[in-house]
Amino acid sequence: VNTGQSLRRQPRADARRNYERLLAEADSAFREQGTGAPLDAIARSAGVAIGTLYGHFPNRRALVSALLKDRNDALFELGSGLLAAPSSGDALKTWMREAARHATAYRGLADMLAEGIGDEASELHSSCLRMSDFAVRLTARARADGVLRAEVTAADISAFISAASWTAERTSLEQAERLLELVMKGLQQPAS
Amino acid sequence: VNTGQSLRRQPRADARRNYERLLAEADSAFREQGTGAPLDAIARSAGVAIGTLYGHFPNRRALVSALLKDRNDALFELGSGLLAAPSSGDALKTWMREAARHATAYRGLADMLAEGIGDEASELHSSCLRMSDFAVRLTARARADGVLRAEVTAADISAFISAASWTAERTSLEQAERLLELVMKGLQQPAS
DNA sequence: ACCTGAACACCGTTCAAGT
DNA sequence: ACCTGAACACCGTTCAAGT
């Protein structure tokens, strides 16, 4: 039997169920109405009082962050693979496309993520930093291989990704992909 | 003396003064806090009741639209000039830069303008349409001159402009200009 | 340990009453 | 013709009281 004070105890069964229900309802609300969807309606759909929602998630960002967890894991796994991919140019392009698509899960997410990169208190901060770090490393590798214009920075790449996500929210994913496609042509080192 | 019923009468002197004060305070509030700044504080700064603000401007968009009027006129005048400029490629680039900078006046403006293009009821709708129209015509001219990749559409150009504005709000004008610079290199017809 | 929901704060918007 | 500001609605957030 577990009597250790430093061991994390199991959450109560009803608490765990409420947590899951809140996540499910939040996902559905954010999908339909964007990340600004009213939280009280989410609590009501989940069959709990508003205080319960705040008990599990101190704010909207915490809710979004929890919902993004699986997606983030998948994206970072992809990123790790790309760092070892044979073509560093293709790897960078794939990263840009997938990272941009990642921020498309909910309308308003591109804004929240752009906010999170500069806000250390944000629950989204650490995942934003990791995304930024992948951009740094994939850009460095592509540049070392001479497949990138010399003046292109990792900040440029991150900015393109964010801008493409925002465009997808406001117009269409197709338009955002056209943007990235055109950008990538411009990023290539002109044949000498 | 003017007795015609169809002629617009002069607004009352106090009404006109309130209108101007509200615009001035809104400009300052939007500059400092973005287009989402609380309207009641604007009314208070202008020394009028909140109802007076709503009497002059039915909503936030109407306020923004009125503030943008001079800027819009200047931008459209520039656009007209660019349609007659000798280099259609340079004209398109200049338009992209200036149109992107235009939406940088207040934080949040890029979002509002992107919203306005699809919302016929928006006070910003007509100016969004005009901006879009300039993109169409300047793009057509550049393509006719063979200085644009064949697959680049006016929608792509408009999307780039919006995305650059948004980037300027979230990061810096410098970063946004780097984006446009890189994009423009990619838009050029590769030398054959 | 967790849940409840009343309470408060903040802000947008309307409108009856004034001048 | 225009202004006032109380009133209402909506939503985020907290917290004392419950179980």
Tab-separated table of all heavy atoms in Angstrom, chain A residues 36-84:
chain	number	residue	atom	x	y	z
A	36	GLY	N	-12.123	31.350	-28.589
A	36	GLY	CA	-12.768	32.341	-27.743
A	36	GLY	C	-14.131	31.903	-27.247
A	36	GLY	O	-14.825	32.676	-26.576
A	37	ALA	N	-14.509	30.680	-27.509
A	37	ALA	CA	-15.835	30.194	-27.108
A	37	ALA	C	-16.057	30.376	-25.603
A	37	ALA	O	-15.151	30.138	-24.807
A	37	ALA	CB	-15.992	28.722	-27.489
A	38	PRO	N	-17.282	30.779	-25.192
A	38	PRO	CA	-17.602	31.021	-23.785
A	38	PRO	C	-17.348	29.789	-22.924
A	38	PRO	O	-17.803	28.688	-23.247
A	38	PRO	CB	-19.098	31.345	-23.806
A	38	PRO	CG	-19.366	31.851	-25.170
A	38	PRO	CD	-18.399	31.141	-26.074
A	39	LEU	N	-16.662	29.998	-21.814
A	39	LEU	CA	-16.308	28.878	-20.954
A	39	LEU	C	-17.486	28.361	-20.145
A	39	LEU	O	-17.541	27.181	-19.811
A	39	LEU	CB	-15.173	29.292	-20.010
A	39	LEU	CG	-13.870	29.710	-20.697
A	39	LEU	CD1	-12.816	30.055	-19.660
A	39	LEU	CD2	-13.371	28.624	-21.620
A	40	ASP	N	-18.438	29.224	-19.817
A	40	ASP	CA	-19.560	28.769	-19.004
A	40	ASP	C	-20.407	27.755	-19.766
A	40	ASP	O	-20.915	26.800	-19.184
A	40	ASP	CB	-20.404	29.950	-18.510
A	40	ASP	CG	-21.008	30.752	-19.642
A	40	ASP	OD1	-20.525	30.636	-20.787
A	40	ASP	OD2	-21.967	31.496	-19.398
A	41	ALA	N	-20.519	27.957	-21.076
A	41	ALA	CA	-21.271	27.000	-21.889
A	41	ALA	C	-20.558	25.652	-21.928
A	41	ALA	O	-21.204	24.602	-21.941
A	41	ALA	CB	-21.448	27.545	-23.303
A	42	ILE	N	-19.223	25.685	-21.948
A	42	ILE	CA	-18.451	24.442	-21.943
A	42	ILE	C	-18.695	23.684	-20.645
A	42	ILE	O	-18.955	22.478	-20.641
A	42	ILE	CB	-16.950	24.748	-22.126
A	42	ILE	CG1	-16.704	25.292	-23.528
A	42	ILE	CG2	-16.103	23.505	-21.867
A	42	ILE	CD1	-15.284	25.752	-23.780
A	43	ALA	N	-18.659	24.410	-19.523
A	43	ALA	CA	-18.919	23.776	-18.230
A	43	ALA	C	-20.315	23.175	-18.213
A	43	ALA	O	-20.517	22.031	-17.789
A	43	ALA	CB	-18.752	24.798	-17.112
A	44	ARG	N	-21.284	23.926	-18.705
A	44	ARG	CA	-22.668	23.446	-18.698
A	44	ARG	C	-22.800	22.175	-19.543
A	44	ARG	O	-23.413	21.194	-19.113
A	44	ARG	CB	-23.606	24.536	-19.227
A	44	ARG	CG	-24.939	24.574	-18.526
A	44	ARG	CD	-25.802	25.734	-18.993
A	44	ARG	NE	-25.072	26.997	-19.035
A	44	ARG	CZ	-24.960	27.772	-20.115
A	44	ARG	NH1	-25.538	27.432	-21.250
A	44	ARG	NH2	-24.282	28.887	-20.055
A	45	SER	N	-22.206	22.188	-20.739
A	45	SER	CA	-22.279	20.989	-21.591
A	45	SER	C	-21.644	19.794	-20.905
A	45	SER	O	-22.068	18.659	-21.100
A	45	SER	CB	-21.545	21.228	-22.911
A	45	SER	OG	-21.883	22.466	-23.463
A	46	ALA	N	-20.594	20.064	-20.130
A	46	ALA	CA	-19.907	18.961	-19.457
A	46	ALA	C	-20.663	18.538	-18.196
A	46	ALA	O	-20.262	17.585	-17.522
A	46	ALA	CB	-18.479	19.380	-19.111
A	47	GLY	N	-21.712	19.255	-17.865
A	47	GLY	CA	-22.519	18.890	-16.714
A	47	GLY	C	-21.886	19.248	-15.375
A	47	GLY	O	-22.173	18.634	-14.355
A	48	VAL	N	-21.031	20.280	-15.365
A	48	VAL	CA	-20.413	20.698	-14.109
A	48	VAL	C	-20.607	22.205	-13.933
A	48	VAL	O	-20.972	22.905	-14.879
A	48	VAL	CB	-18.898	20.377	-14.073
A	48	VAL	CG1	-18.665	18.890	-14.231
A	48	VAL	CG2	-18.159	21.163	-15.145
A	49	ALA	N	-20.362	22.686	-12.735
A	49	ALA	CA	-20.465	24.123	-12.483
A	49	ALA	C	-19.206	24.822	-12.996
A	49	ALA	O	-18.159	24.181	-13.170
A	49	ALA	CB	-20.639	24.381	-11.000
A	50	ILE	N	-19.335	26.103	-13.211
A	50	ILE	CA	-18.213	26.853	-13.775
A	50	ILE	C	-16.976	26.779	-12.887
A	50	ILE	O	-15.839	26.745	-13.380
A	50	ILE	CB	-18.627	28.314	-14.043
A	50	ILE	CG1	-17.489	29.102	-14.687
A	50	ILE	CG2	-19.101	29.000	-12.757
A	50	ILE	CD1	-17.102	28.590	-16.052
A	51	GLY	N	-17.196	26.732	-11.572
A	51	GLY	CA	-16.068	26.640	-10.651
A	51	GLY	C	-15.260	25.366	-10.843
A	51	GLY	O	-14.052	25.343	-10.618
A	52	THR	N	-15.913	24.321	-11.248
A	52	THR	CA	-15.220	23.053	-11.491
A	52	THR	C	-14.272	23.183	-12.679
A	52	THR	O	-13.145	22.678	-12.655
A	52	THR	CB	-16.247	21.939	-11.750
A	52	THR	OG1	-17.116	21.859	-10.618
A	52	THR	CG2	-15.563	20.600	-11.949
A	53	LEU	N	-14.742	23.877	-13.705
A	53	LEU	CA	-13.864	24.108	-14.858
A	53	LEU	C	-12.606	24.843	-14.405
A	53	LEU	O	-11.488	24.430	-14.722
A	53	LEU	CB	-14.604	24.916	-15.925
A	53	LEU	CG	-13.880	25.144	-17.251
A	53	LEU	CD1	-14.886	25.290	-18.383
A	53	LEU	CD2	-12.994	26.389	-17.217
A	54	TYR	N	-12.805	25.902	-13.620
A	54	TYR	CA	-11.642	26.673	-13.155
A	54	TYR	C	-10.779	25.878	-12.195
A	54	TYR	O	-9.587	26.123	-12.074
A	54	TYR	CB	-12.100	27.995	-12.543
A	54	TYR	CG	-12.346	29.049	-13.589
A	54	TYR	CD1	-13.603	29.221	-14.164
A	54	TYR	CD2	-11.312	29.854	-14.035
A	54	TYR	CE1	-13.830	30.172	-15.141
A	54	TYR	CE2	-11.516	30.817	-15.000
A	54	TYR	CZ	-12.780	30.968	-15.552
A	54	TYR	OH	-12.982	31.910	-16.515
A	55	GLY	N	-11.374	24.941	-11.502
A	55	GLY	CA	-10.597	24.080	-10.625
A	55	GLY	C	-9.615	23.219	-11.416
A	55	GLY	O	-8.478	22.996	-10.982
A	56	HIS	N	-10.046	22.785	-12.575
A	56	HIS	CA	-9.176	21.926	-13.395
A	56	HIS	C	-8.253	22.731	-14.295
A	56	HIS	O	-7.120	22.335	-14.555
A	56	HIS	CB	-10.029	20.990	-14.250
A	56	HIS	CG	-10.657	19.881	-13.480
A	56	HIS	ND1	-9.944	18.793	-13.040
A	56	HIS	CD2	-11.928	19.692	-13.044
A	56	HIS	CE1	-10.746	17.973	-12.390
A	56	HIS	NE2	-11.956	18.499	-12.357
A	57	PHE	N	-8.768	23.860	-14.788
A	57	PHE	CA	-7.995	24.674	-15.737
A	57	PHE	C	-8.065	26.129	-15.304
A	57	PHE	O	-9.117	26.745	-15.402
A	57	PHE	CB	-8.569	24.519	-17.143
A	57	PHE	CG	-8.685	23.090	-17.601
A	57	PHE	CD1	-9.906	22.425	-17.537
A	57	PHE	CD2	-7.579	22.406	-18.075
A	57	PHE	CE1	-10.018	21.100	-17.950
A	57	PHE	CE2	-7.680	21.087	-18.488
A	57	PHE	CZ	-8.903	20.427	-18.423
A	58	PRO	N	-6.961	26.678	-14.826
A	58	PRO	CA	-6.983	28.028	-14.265
A	58	PRO	C	-7.368	29.107	-15.278
A	58	PRO	O	-7.760	30.204	-14.880
A	58	PRO	CB	-5.551	28.235	-13.771
A	58	PRO	CG	-4.730	27.242	-14.518
A	58	PRO	CD	-5.625	26.067	-14.755
A	59	ASN	N	-7.249	28.826	-16.557
A	59	ASN	CA	-7.622	29.805	-17.572
A	59	ASN	C	-7.771	29.119	-18.930
A	59	ASN	O	-7.523	27.918	-19.065
A	59	ASN	CB	-6.580	30.921	-17.648
A	59	ASN	CG	-5.192	30.352	-17.840
A	59	ASN	OD1	-4.971	29.496	-18.685
A	59	ASN	ND2	-4.246	30.828	-17.041
A	60	ARG	N	-8.157	29.913	-19.895
A	60	ARG	CA	-8.416	29.408	-21.239
A	60	ARG	C	-7.178	28.755	-21.849
A	60	ARG	O	-7.264	27.714	-22.516
A	60	ARG	CB	-8.886	30.581	-22.104
A	60	ARG	CG	-9.393	30.226	-23.470
A	60	ARG	CD	-9.800	31.495	-24.197
A	60	ARG	NE	-10.930	32.133	-23.569
A	60	ARG	CZ	-12.199	31.793	-23.778
A	60	ARG	NH1	-12.471	30.819	-24.621
A	60	ARG	NH2	-13.172	32.415	-23.167
A	61	ARG	N	-6.031	29.354	-21.619
A	61	ARG	CA	-4.799	28.811	-22.204
A	61	ARG	C	-4.496	27.413	-21.694
A	61	ARG	O	-4.026	26.555	-22.440
A	61	ARG	CB	-3.611	29.727	-21.871
A	61	ARG	CG	-3.580	31.028	-22.626
A	61	ARG	CD	-2.235	31.709	-22.379
A	61	ARG	NE	-1.933	31.774	-20.959
A	61	ARG	CZ	-2.214	32.804	-20.178
A	61	ARG	NH1	-2.793	33.867	-20.686
A	61	ARG	NH2	-1.924	32.781	-18.906
A	62	ALA	N	-4.776	27.181	-20.399
A	62	ALA	CA	-4.521	25.856	-19.830
A	62	ALA	C	-5.387	24.813	-20.522
A	62	ALA	O	-4.948	23.683	-20.769
A	62	ALA	CB	-4.799	25.876	-18.334
A	63	LEU	N	-6.594	25.198	-20.851
A	63	LEU	CA	-7.522	24.301	-21.539
A	63	LEU	C	-6.993	24.009	-22.943
A	63	LEU	O	-6.922	22.848	-23.379
A	63	LEU	CB	-8.885	25.004	-21.592
A	63	LEU	CG	-10.194	24.235	-21.696
A	63	LEU	CD1	-10.177	22.965	-20.877
A	63	LEU	CD2	-11.332	25.145	-21.272
A	64	VAL	N	-6.599	25.036	-23.638
A	64	VAL	CA	-6.064	24.859	-24.992
A	64	VAL	C	-4.799	24.019	-24.950
A	64	VAL	O	-4.612	23.101	-25.755
A	64	VAL	CB	-5.778	26.228	-25.637
A	64	VAL	CG1	-5.019	26.063	-26.954
A	64	VAL	CG2	-7.076	26.991	-25.859
A	65	SER	N	-3.946	24.318	-24.001
A	65	SER	CA	-2.687	23.590	-23.883
A	65	SER	C	-2.929	22.092	-23.655
A	65	SER	O	-2.287	21.246	-24.283
A	65	SER	CB	-1.876	24.173	-22.731
A	65	SER	OG	-0.767	23.363	-22.449
A	66	ALA	N	-3.875	21.768	-22.787
A	66	ALA	CA	-4.183	20.364	-22.523
A	66	ALA	C	-4.724	19.683	-23.777
A	66	ALA	O	-4.385	18.534	-24.076
A	66	ALA	CB	-5.194	20.258	-21.387
A	67	LEU	N	-5.553	20.416	-24.527
A	67	LEU	CA	-6.136	19.846	-25.746
A	67	LEU	C	-5.077	19.610	-26.813
A	67	LEU	O	-5.209	18.728	-27.658
A	67	LEU	CB	-7.208	20.789	-26.296
A	67	LEU	CG	-8.543	20.755	-25.572
A	67	LEU	CD1	-9.424	21.898	-26.009
A	67	LEU	CD2	-9.239	19.422	-25.813
A	68	LEU	N	-4.023	20.410	-26.774
A	68	LEU	CA	-2.999	20.326	-27.823
A	68	LEU	C	-1.940	19.277	-27.527
A	68	LEU	O	-1.093	18.990	-28.378
A	68	LEU	CB	-2.326	21.700	-27.968
A	68	LEU	CG	-2.657	22.525	-29.217
A	68	LEU	CD1	-4.112	22.404	-29.568
A	68	LEU	CD2	-2.264	23.973	-29.015
A	69	LYS	N	-1.998	18.709	-26.332
A	69	LYS	CA	-0.897	17.856	-25.909
A	69	LYS	C	-0.559	16.746	-26.910
A	69	LYS	O	0.586	16.615	-27.349
A	69	LYS	CB	-1.213	17.250	-24.534
A	69	LYS	CG	0.039	16.672	-23.907
A	69	LYS	CD	-0.133	16.133	-22.548
A	69	LYS	CE	1.195	15.508	-22.105
A	69	LYS	NZ	1.867	14.729	-23.165
A	70	ASP	N	-1.563	15.958	-27.301
A	70	ASP	CA	-1.314	14.848	-28.230
A	70	ASP	C	-0.790	15.355	-29.573
A	70	ASP	O	0.167	14.824	-30.123
A	70	ASP	CB	-2.601	14.044	-28.457
A	70	ASP	CG	-2.996	13.268	-27.215
A	70	ASP	OD1	-2.179	13.207	-26.277
A	70	ASP	OD2	-4.115	12.731	-27.181
A	71	ARG	N	-1.439	16.388	-30.069
A	71	ARG	CA	-1.022	16.976	-31.325
A	71	ARG	C	0.427	17.454	-31.252
A	71	ARG	O	1.199	17.276	-32.190
A	71	ARG	CB	-1.906	18.184	-31.628
A	71	ARG	CG	-2.879	17.971	-32.745
A	71	ARG	CD	-3.597	19.293	-32.987
A	71	ARG	NE	-4.932	19.284	-32.436
A	71	ARG	CZ	-5.987	18.848	-33.110
A	71	ARG	NH1	-5.850	18.393	-34.333
A	71	ARG	NH2	-7.178	18.866	-32.572
A	72	ASN	N	0.781	18.071	-30.144
A	72	ASN	CA	2.144	18.554	-29.958
A	72	ASN	C	3.146	17.403	-29.982
A	72	ASN	O	4.172	17.486	-30.651
A	72	ASN	CB	2.272	19.271	-28.608
A	72	ASN	CG	2.016	20.754	-28.722
A	72	ASN	OD1	2.331	21.369	-29.738
A	72	ASN	ND2	1.431	21.332	-27.695
A	73	ASP	N	2.817	16.342	-29.253
A	73	ASP	CA	3.715	15.197	-29.215
A	73	ASP	C	3.972	14.673	-30.617
A	73	ASP	O	5.114	14.395	-30.998
A	73	ASP	CB	3.106	14.086	-28.343
A	73	ASP	CG	3.110	14.476	-26.864
A	73	ASP	OD1	3.791	15.471	-26.523
A	73	ASP	OD2	2.442	13.811	-26.063
A	74	ALA	N	2.894	14.566	-31.389
A	74	ALA	CA	3.040	14.050	-32.756
A	74	ALA	C	3.916	14.979	-33.594
A	74	ALA	O	4.782	14.533	-34.356
A	74	ALA	CB	1.665	13.897	-33.397
A	75	LEU	N	3.688	16.280	-33.429
A	75	LEU	CA	4.454	17.243	-34.226
A	75	LEU	C	5.941	17.194	-33.876
A	75	LEU	O	6.805	17.228	-34.761
A	75	LEU	CB	3.912	18.650	-33.989
A	75	LEU	CG	4.563	19.763	-34.808
A	75	LEU	CD1	4.258	19.589	-36.285
A	75	LEU	CD2	4.114	21.144	-34.339
A	76	PHE	N	6.234	17.073	-32.590
A	76	PHE	CA	7.638	17.091	-32.179
A	76	PHE	C	8.333	15.787	-32.564
A	76	PHE	O	9.533	15.786	-32.847
A	76	PHE	CB	7.746	17.352	-30.672
A	76	PHE	CG	7.256	18.734	-30.300
A	76	PHE	CD1	6.592	18.963	-29.099
A	76	PHE	CD2	7.456	19.808	-31.162
A	76	PHE	CE1	6.137	20.238	-28.774
A	76	PHE	CE2	6.994	21.079	-30.833
A	76	PHE	CZ	6.333	21.293	-29.642
A	77	GLU	N	7.554	14.736	-32.607
A	77	GLU	CA	8.128	13.476	-33.077
A	77	GLU	C	8.475	13.605	-34.561
A	77	GLU	O	9.561	13.199	-35.010
A	77	GLU	CB	7.125	12.346	-32.860
A	77	GLU	CG	7.756	10.977	-32.938
A	77	GLU	CD	6.970	9.965	-32.098
A	77	GLU	OE1	6.081	10.395	-31.325
A	77	GLU	OE2	7.262	8.771	-32.220
A	78	LEU	N	7.548	14.189	-35.297
A	78	LEU	CA	7.837	14.451	-36.709
A	78	LEU	C	9.096	15.289	-36.850
A	78	LEU	O	9.980	14.991	-37.652
A	78	LEU	CB	6.656	15.188	-37.358
A	78	LEU	CG	6.891	15.671	-38.791
A	78	LEU	CD1	6.792	14.516	-39.772
A	78	LEU	CD2	5.927	16.785	-39.186
A	79	GLY	N	9.184	16.339	-36.052
A	79	GLY	CA	10.337	17.232	-36.118
A	79	GLY	C	11.649	16.502	-35.871
A	79	GLY	O	12.629	16.727	-36.580
A	80	SER	N	11.638	15.628	-34.882
A	80	SER	CA	12.860	14.873	-34.581
A	80	SER	C	13.266	14.014	-35.767
A	80	SER	O	14.449	13.921	-36.118
A	80	SER	CB	12.628	13.974	-33.363
A	80	SER	OG	12.268	14.773	-32.252
A	81	GLY	N	12.286	13.400	-36.400
A	81	GLY	CA	12.563	12.599	-37.583
A	81	GLY	C	13.149	13.457	-38.698
A	81	GLY	O	14.101	13.057	-39.373
A	82	LEU	N	12.597	14.628	-38.865
A	82	LEU	CA	13.039	15.502	-39.958
A	82	LEU	C	14.484	15.951	-39.778
A	82	LEU	O	15.202	16.182	-40.750
A	82	LEU	CB	12.119	16.727	-40.054
A	82	LEU	CG	10.713	16.434	-40.567
A	82	LEU	CD1	9.845	17.683	-40.509
A	82	LEU	CD2	10.757	15.884	-41.990
A	83	LEU	N	14.900	16.062	-38.525
A	83	LEU	CA	16.291	16.467	-38.264
A	83	LEU	C	17.282	15.419	-38.778
A	83	LEU	O	18.452	15.724	-39.011
A	83	LEU	CB	16.496	16.684	-36.758
A	83	LEU	CG	16.034	18.042	-36.259
A	83	LEU	CD1	16.023	18.088	-34.740
A	83	LEU	CD2	16.928	19.143	-36.822
A	84	ALA	N	16.785	14.198	-38.950
A	84	ALA	CA	17.662	13.120	-39.425
A	84	ALA	C	17.331	12.734	-40.862
A	84	ALA	O	17.905	11.785	-41.403
A	84	ALA	CB	17.521	11.905	-38.517
